[in-house]
Amino acid sequence: MFALNIYGITGIYPNAAPWTQNTNIMVTGKGFLNDMSDMGRCKFGAEGSYVIVDGMVLDNEHMICQLPVGFIPFPDGAKTEGIVIPFAIAF
């Protein structure tokens, strides 16, 4: 039998950031501190176009992920304000 580790996100701060700067994203939630916390990952983007980065678990309710700079190639002159990028975590 295997142990089921249940975790979830309750918030992301900041919830908006420029894609041209290194920004630490604070993820709040529950269930982050478990036997797999050293394998925390954050996924920015959707199937077919995403980047996975390591996440640093601080405690059971806080995790930090660094926004990957420039992972979405925008065409020259494209407006990038207001774009929503899917986000997920995994262990």
Side-chain angles (χ1 to χ4, degrees):
M1 184 149 308
F2 62 92
L4 180 62
N5 293 315
I6 298 174
Y7 57 90
I9 297 173
T10 58
I12 302 171
Y13 308 98
N15 61 6
W19 293 106
T20 57
Q21 295 178 7
N22 288 326
T23 303
N24 284 332
I25 307 297
M26 173 68 73
V27 182
T28 60
K30 298 285 184 187
F32 297 165
L33 198 58
N34 58 52
D35 59 343
M36 297 187 316
S37 64
D38 60 338
M39 298 186 308
R41 305 287 183 265
C42 299
K43 177 180 173 182
F44 294 87
E47 291 304 317
S49 180
Y50 62 88
V51 172
I52 296 175
V53 298
D54 290 338
M56 180 174 35
V57 175
L58 303 176
D59 59 35
N60 192 52
E61 299 178 357
H62 299 91
M63 178 177 182
I64 293 178
C65 303
Q66 189 168 70
L67 180 69
V69 174
F71 83 92
I72 297 176
F74 293 106
D76 290 339
K79 294 187 184 268
T80 60
E81 297 85 23
I83 293 174
V84 176
I85 302 297
F87 176 81
I89 62 170
F91 293 92

